[in-house]
Amino acid sequence: MESINHTLFLWLNAPEHPSALALTLATFFAEQLIWAVPLLIGIGWLRGSEGPRKAMLVATASGLLGFLINQTIGLAWSHPRPFMIGLGHTLIPHVADSSFPSDHLTLWWAVAFSLLLQQRHRSTGIGLALLGVLIAWARIYLGVHFPFDMFGAATVAALSAWLTLREVRWYLESSYRLATGIHHRLFGKLIVLGWVRE
């Protein structure tokens, strides 16, 4: 299996001297696009009614659970990144920690899959899931992940999304009340002015 992982990596990894356009796009997808997740959740919360806000909380729980599962996997089994074994070309700096599964993609797809499983937000979830493919390509292209790291991320993300939606009764109402209380304290004046939804 590891030989297949290496072969796929070398097929997708950047050449030694990639074009400036490919490098710019890959770097954006690999390092900057992830910030769209907190931005989307923040906008969904600030502009949404109760339904969308609860959907954002479930998506956040999915992302957090995915990250926790990844940390547990990394502690139990440390898999080296390509540059740690001298394979391919690495075009962005990265700490030499365990590569499997990809934290970036797990977080992205955990949110995407969570929204995809919630009928009213399915189209947003599909769009995010497709963008996740670009993140996966970029992080392999730039030399910081193997392809199997991305399959691992997809598995963890799907499990996280399913579990947090299945067990929503245990945490959603209490976390919604807590988040709403914080929201009112932080944005009370803006709510009065009508700039932010109550």
Side-chain angles (χ1 to χ4, degrees), residues 42-57:
I43 291 172
W45 178 269
L46 292 174
R47 303 300 302 166
S49 57
E50 181 177 340
R53 285 179 175 179
K54 286 184 174 179
M56 294 303 110
L57 286 175

Side-chain angles (χ1 to χ4, degrees), residues 3 29 35 38-39 49 74 82 98 110 113 121 131 165 169 172-173 179:
S3 62
F29 289 131
W35 294 105
L39 183 64
S49 57
S98 181
F113 294 166
H121 305 283
L131 280 173
L165 197 58
R169 67 188 181 279
L172 183 56
E173 290 304 325

Side-chain angles (χ1 to χ4, degrees), residues 98-116:
S98 181
S99 73
F100 183 90
S102 166
D103 289 335
H104 263 75
L105 200 57
T106 297
L107 174 61
W108 185 276
W109 269 343
V111 170
F113 294 166
S114 176
L115 294 174
L116 196 152

Side-chain angles (χ1 to χ4, degrees), residues 22 25 41 66 95 98 113 128 145 150-151 169:
L25 286 174
I41 290 172
V95 65
S98 181
F113 294 166
L128 288 176
H145 274 293
M150 305 311 174
F151 293 125
R169 67 188 181 279

